[in-house]
Amino acid sequence: MAPAYEIRTGGDVKNKKQSMADLKLRRLNELNMRLKEDLERPRIKVSEASMSLIQYCNTTRDFMVPSLWGQVDRREDPYAPQPSGGCCAVM
């Protein structure tokens, strides 16, 4: 007949604690690596970025703002409804 209860050894608990410590160390190392990558990322000043954005907005035609750029020809407007030959299109 098999014994009703088994005697546990403390080795399993030690292994579990060690694996948890290894997991925490690995996560901290991964976080440290991501933070170092963020630190190495090239940065520019806010004033430079805003001037670049202003320049882009002033030189790039925006079809959604006709009050600033004037009316857009239907052939040039990517937001105009496309003429279709029927009620359905099969692709």
Side-chain angles (χ1 to χ4, degrees), residues 32-67:
N32 192 20
M33 187 174 63
R34 282 193 305 261
L35 289 173
K36 284 181 180 179
E37 289 172 0
D38 285 345
L39 191 60
E40 292 172 358
R41 187 171 295 133
R43 305 194 188 278
I44 61 171
K45 294 180 180 178
V46 174
S47 58
E48 293 174 23
S50 60
M51 288 303 294
S52 174
L53 183 60
I54 290 169
Q55 181 183 5
Y56 174 80
C57 290
N58 286 334
T59 58
T60 304
R61 189 170 183 178
D62 187 359
F63 298 111
M64 298 300 285
V65 189
S67 62

Side-chain angles (χ1 to χ4, degrees), residues 62-89:
D62 187 359
F63 298 111
M64 298 300 285
V65 189
S67 62
L68 180 64
W69 294 100
Q71 291 299 322
V72 180
D73 186 20
R74 285 236 186 247
R75 287 176 279 144
E76 293 179 12
D77 190 0
Y79 302 109
Q82 301 297 322
S84 60
C87 65
C88 300

Side-chain angles (χ1 to χ4, degrees), residues 9-36:
T9 60
D12 189 35
V13 174
K14 278 186 176 181
N15 289 338
K16 198 172 202 176
K17 284 185 180 180
Q18 182 64 34
S19 66
M20 290 297 287
D22 290 340
L23 180 64
K24 286 181 182 181
L25 179 63
R26 190 175 80 226
R27 286 182 180 169
L28 283 173
N29 284 335
E30 289 172 359
L31 176 63
N32 192 20
M33 187 174 63
R34 282 193 305 261
L35 289 173
K36 284 181 180 179

